[in-house]
Each structure stands twice: as C-alpha cells, then as structure tokens.
Amino acid sequence: MSETSPRLRAELEGIPTYKPGKPATADGAAYKLSSNENPYPPLPGVMESVTAAACSFNRYPDLGCSALVEELAERFGVPPSHVATGTGSVGVAQQLVQATAGAGDEVIYAWRSFEAYPIITQIGGATSVRVPLTTGDVHDLEAMANVVTDRTQLIFVCNPNNPTGTVVRRAELERFLDRVPRNVLVVLDEAYREFIRDPEVPDGVELYRDRPNVCVLRTFSKAYGLAGLRVGFAIAHEPVAAALRKTAVPFGVSHLAQEAAIASLRAEDELLGRVGSLVCERKRVVDALRAQGWTVPETQANFVWLRLGERTAAFADACEQAGVVIRPFPGEGVRVTVGETEANDIFLKAAEAFRRGI
Ligand SMILES: Cc1ncc(COP(=O)(O)O)c(C=O)c1O
C-alpha cells in the first residue's frame, strides 16, 4: 500500500467480493435464474402502497419501523421487542456479526453456504470456521458442534441451505442446539422458509421461544417478492434484538420498504399462493432433471443445485447461450433458481442438450 493513501483496516485485504447473479440482459439471455428472486411482478395492492409512500420520500422513514414491527410481532406471536428489522436479511446478518464477534473471535458456518457469511465475518474482523457439507450436500451439524471453542461467538445454520437447497430436520437441529453452549448465538437463516414442504423441518420461530441463544432470520426478498426494496428481520430474545437495534444503520429501511412489507403481510394468502405455484414448478424441474439422469439433491428452496465440478463453467455458458442466466460456483456446481415456466423450460432443454453432449 502506498504511503500516501489512507490507512485501511488490514482485515479488509483479500475479502471476497459479493458476486450478484448476472442480469438477464447479459449477452442477450432472456431470463435471470441467478439470484433466487421471485419471478412474479409486484401485486397491485403492494404497488399502490409503495406509490403512496413515494409521495413523502423527502422525509426520513420511521427509525424503528414501528408499524412493521407491530405487524410482525402479531403475525409470529412474539413481543415487538423481539423483532428487529434491517436492510434485507443480509443487513441483519451483518449486524449480528457486528454485535457478537470481533478480532480473535470465531464464526462457524457450513461450506458451501450463503456467500455473504465469509464476507461479513471478515469485515467484522472475526475468523471464519467453515465446516464442509456432508457428501449429500447437507449441513454436518455434528461436525459443526465439534468445532465450537471458547472463541466461538456465532454460528450460522442456513436452512434451507443456499446454494444446495438441502435442509436440516427437527431432531438433528434440536440435538445440535442442545450441544451448543448457551452463550453462543445460533442464527437460523430461514430466507427460504416459505418454500419448505417437508414437515420434519422445524420452524425456527418455535425453536427460538425457549432458547435465548437462538435468533431467526427472515426476509421479504424471496417469497414476498420485495428483493429490490431491502427489508428483512430477525426474531430473537431481547438482549440480541436490542443489540440489533444498536448496530442498525439509522433509517436504513426506507419508508417504501416498510409500507411494502406491511402490505405484503396483509396480502400473504395471495403471495403464498404464488409460492405454492413455484413449489409445483420446483417439483417439475427436479423430476425432469432426474429423468435426464442428473443427480439433484432434495431441495426445499426456490432453486436447485447441480454439482458439476469442472463442467460448471461450460454448463453455465451453455445455459446462457440458450437464454437463461444461472449462477455458477466455479469448479463446484451451479445453482438455478426456479423461475417462470418458460424460463424453466429453456433451462431444462439446455440441461438435456448438455447432458447428451449436443
Ligand atoms: C440464505 C440467505 N440468507 C439471506 C439472504 C439475503 O437476502 P436479503 O438480504 O435480500 O434479505 C439470501 C439471499 O440470497 C440468502 O440466500
């Protein structure tokens, strides 16, 4: 570093940059299946709330998101003081790291998992402890419990896991939580909760109730279709929720986002109906891929994972040529969002052609 440039924190060196999914317009591909977004356009009622809210964006938003917090507390049957909002659940995840871990501390998570975990851990100055997924691409909770030390401050459990879509079920998760010391925060990242159909996958909100070291992360970005508005939230006992209020960027959640989130909660039946359609599409995509001969891990999210190893880049290129942008993880595999029927059809055709070597 030059003597004349400002001194920056050494921890930032070598930080991996967050790679957003490529947009659909890249090289003329028509559909974006690279960011696990909701393909449906905003509901008219939600649009109306946002449009009305836009009339006052000369004003700061409500700092505490109080109306939204009240609605969420009611919806989940928790005290409002246990709800903390943020700029997407990734914003809340970063606040959780800031609130718990610094230099010399350890943050445990499975790998591969959500790519923000290493970034926010390193920004916080803490050390990542990555525990490989099992051969079935599932969290190895036993191995994760085995690496807890006195330095462990935070553990992320991504359920379903991004990018594999795999889940951990009630008995194994409870066994894990029973093993983790009470002074270590366990974050159940449930960004894709609404897409789960496996009854054995527990709702984190139920697990949090009598476990003060469990925090549940949820988002409006996926099932509720508000990815561009940036609003997510945590449900946690008060010392943790209060710490999240301290680490929040003041006025981070816009008035538009707050109003859209409230309108979405009120339109939940309709939005969850759309989720139901995507779950049907998911089954269609998984069944078709398996019929083509691919190995597809059981997914409970709005995406599928193909472990392609060295063929990853070539597969992603082939999909893009065919008209769909997917998310490659070089040398490992691809994650493909379940999107519009037309997009899924194009993807399935491209996957079949690739498999046959055409
Ligand atoms: C597991 C997981 N957690 C959190 C997020 C963050 O979503 P947002 O910040 O839009 O709420 C994502 C987004 O892809 C995710 O996959």
Side-chain angles (χ1 to χ4, degrees), residues 18 88-90 114 117 158 162 189 191-192 219 221-222 230:
Y18 190 103
S89 56
V90 72
F114 182 35
Y117 300 153
C158 190
N162 175 6
D189 184 343
Y192 303 95
T219 182
S221 297
K222 310 295 178 182
R230 314 305 305 129

Side-chain angles (χ1 to χ4, degrees), residues 1 24 27 31-32 61 66 75 80 113 140 146 175 180 203 211 215 293-294 302 322 353:
M1 201 192 303
D27 301 329
Y31 293 101
K32 183 182 178 200
S66 44
R75 161 77 176 71
S113 189
D140 189 341
N146 288 343
R175 214 176 314 124
V180 174
D203 181 335
R211 288 184 171 85
C215 169
W294 297 97
N302 65 340

